[in-house]
Amino acid sequence: MTDPSRPWWADAVFYQVYPRSFQDSNGDGVGDLDGVSARLGYLKALGVDALWLNPVMVSPMADNGYDVADPRDIDPLFGDLAAMDRLTAAAHDLGMKVTMDLVPNHTSSAHPWFQAALAAGPGSTQRRRYIFRDGAGADGAEPPNNWLSIFGGPAWTRVTEADGRPGQWYLHLFDVEQPDLNWENPEVFDDLERTLRFWLDRGVDGFRIDVAHGMAKPRDLPDMPIVKPEMLLAEMDDDPRFNDDGVHEIHRRIRRVFDDYPDAVAIGEVWVYDNEQFARYVRPDELHLGFNFRLVRAGFDAADIRDAIENSMAAVELVGATPTWTLANHDVEREPTRYGGGPVGLARAKAMALVMLALPGAVFVYNGEELGLPNADLPDEALRDPVWERSGHTRRGRDGSRVPMPWQGDAPPFGFSDTADTWLPIPPEWSALTVEKQLADPSSTLTFFRRAIEFRCQRSEFDGPTVEMLDSPAGSVVFHASGGLVCVLNAGDGAIPLPEGEVLLASGDVVDGALPPDTAAWLV
Ligand code: GLC
């Protein structure tokens, strides 16, 4: 139940819309903003409080919009400013908030600033907006340091200067087409402030801030002590590319802009695991919320899950911030696949959804999670994620979790689009998982999610800021949320007895008071 004295986001259910894959309204095979508007009724009925839209700004789409060429306009692929305004207004009419994705660490190489930097040459003010350096070695033919790109290969690319000769190198922690900005240059913050105010003035309710532990870089750009190419989910606390102290001054400046919009929320993508280091991002004058990815990284293992919950809580308690929980997003494998695939993987995913939705704070549900979608196995030729090319075809990338939503009917594109030529192919076997079929089925994953979210929003047992772990049989996790809810997860091999109480909801069948493996239950 919502407490009016707390900010709206403090216990919100956020729903992540991957705009390319939610609903296509113009038949080009790619989802768009009018498509999202058309499906708001579905989201309202699911019970979500707020949307997070992955980037929809102008972009050549080298990394599906995380390469922004104009941060203050909508890419024609998704619509235009009027479509964004329509979506925001329609969501607000239904009582839902809309947050966008902000990409402050880098721009697209097509951004006018980067094009000007290339043209202007070494030493120019234009180059000082990015991180250009002379190369190492006698003729500057070696990259300035040993940093790797998250997507594979070196994090540096050499440019050709106006005289046609090989010249300086520029830094890109992600794709070659995503040059990192130089946050020591005051112009960079000034432009970000314009972008923030541009959208907040139009009525947007906040931002998810991409790579919020990036931005600042150590001035001398020291080598990485360990070079490990597989990233996003790797341990990065000792990595000079991220979590530089200077980043906190940037967050404080961003927060001062947000303070002019007291209802708006800033949610950072913070891949930092040390609790004290993480907590610094959510101090009262920095981000409102930070994604804590411990639950995503935990296997389906009682000790791992307990550890993820306890540490996520402990981190925010250090600074009195609000916890966040997420099991999935567009960068990771979907839960049913991650937890083993098939019926067992799905059962575990549903059990974990109950764990997540029992926890205090803000939760994030990724589109399709409520349908129990698995990762899709895509053929090589369908892959679009730059990770596939950049890794020399050794990592398949993240496309498998980005496939369009199956809405209705018996064959692709399942009402997602008018064309069967969707930007990623939808597996035909998802005919069993469509929204239409699941809405009609009281035992579907979607019905289960709707009931769970409804309880979370309406019952007072979900209120209360703390969680207490209780003793429980081996292989299980039992916690008591301070509002009164008890959540039991059985990640072991045999059935376990349920504690005293009335079962409010279970992710599988409870027989004679016993909870089977791969199942969770809520008790009041
Ligand atoms: C974040 C996004 C990811 C993107 C990367 C570069 O990690 O979630 O999808 O590729 O940043 O912007």
Side-chain angles (χ1 to χ4, degrees), residues 16 18 52 54-55 63-67 101-106 150-151 173-175 178 208-213 232 269 271 293 329-331 385-387 398 402:
Q16 180 189 351
Y18 199 64
W52 151 32
N54 288 95
D63 184 22
N64 291 358
Y66 283 100
D67 47 320
D101 217 313
L102 187 76
V103 190
N105 181 69
H106 43 266
I150 300 293
F151 293 164
L173 293 184
F174 294 88
D175 202 24
Q178 291 167 296
R208 176 263 194 189
I209 300 182
D210 189 61
V211 199
H213 58 314
L232 286 178
E269 182 199 27
W271 291 96
F293 293 111
N329 63 37
H330 63 293
D331 290 328
D385 187 346
V387 168
R398 302 158 292 177
R402 298 174 172 179

Side-chain angles (χ1 to χ4, degrees), residues 386-403:
V387 168
W388 174 239
E389 288 302 327
R390 292 277 299 165
S391 70
H393 296 187
T394 56
R395 289 155 59 204
R396 298 187 73 73
R398 302 158 292 177
D399 294 311
S401 63
R402 298 174 172 179
V403 168

Side-chain angles (χ1 to χ4, degrees), residues 211-429:
V211 199
H213 58 314
M215 284 122 66
K217 312 287 186 297
R219 197 160 283 172
D220 53 344
L221 303 178
D223 276 348
M224 291 165 67
I226 306 168
V227 178
K228 39 187 177 188
E230 79 297 333
M231 289 309 288
L232 286 178
L233 289 179
E235 197 70 52
M236 292 206 259
D237 285 354
D238 57 351
D239 183 334
R241 300 172 302 173
F242 296 99
N243 193 31
D244 183 72
D245 263 0
V247 78
H248 295 289
E249 184 49 32
I250 299 171
H251 283 300
R252 281 191 280 271
R253 297 188 69 189
I254 292 176
R255 178 57 176 262
R256 288 200 285 275
V257 178
F258 271 82
D259 286 343
D260 286 343
Y261 305 83
D263 224 21
V265 65
I267 311 153
E269 182 199 27
V270 183
W271 291 96
V272 171
Y273 299 103
D274 177 83
N275 288 348
E276 279 172 22
Q277 290 289 317
F278 179 89
R280 301 180 73 203
Y281 287 83
V282 286
R283 287 179 287 195
D285 60 348
E286 297 196 31
L287 293 159
H288 301 95
L289 297 173
F291 274 106
N292 194 314
F293 293 111
R294 283 182 182 269
L295 212 52
V296 173
R297 297 207 319 164
F300 192 74
D301 170 86
D304 259 24
I305 294 163
R306 198 177 304 117
D307 185 72
I309 295 172
E310 286 180 330
N311 277 293
S312 302
M313 293 299 296
V316 290
E317 277 163 9
L318 288 172
V319 289
T322 302
T324 66
W325 309 97
T326 186
L327 293 168
N329 63 37
H330 63 293
D331 290 328
V332 301
E333 201 171 36
R334 285 187 177 276
E335 306 92 308
T337 307
R338 218 168 64 217
Y339 296 139
V344 168
L346 178 60
R348 292 175 173 175
K350 289 171 70 177
M352 287 304 291
L354 281 196
V355 169
M356 175 174 80
L357 291 167
L359 291 163
V363 301
F364 291 80
V365 176
Y366 174 47
N367 63 199
E369 182 174 346
E370 75 280 20
L371 303 178
L373 296 183
N375 246 51
D377 271 330
L378 298 169
D380 290 1
E381 60 279 11
L383 297 179
R384 304 282 289 268
D385 187 346
V387 168
W388 174 239
E389 288 302 327
R390 292 277 299 165
S391 70
H393 296 187
T394 56
R395 289 155 59 204
R396 298 187 73 73
R398 302 158 292 177
D399 294 311
S401 63
R402 298 174 172 179
V403 168
M405 289 276 286
W407 292 98
Q408 70 230 14
D410 294 314
F414 298 118
F416 163 72
S417 173
D418 290 340
T419 173
D421 190 18
T422 52
W423 78 277
L424 288 176
I426 315 178
E429 62 273 19

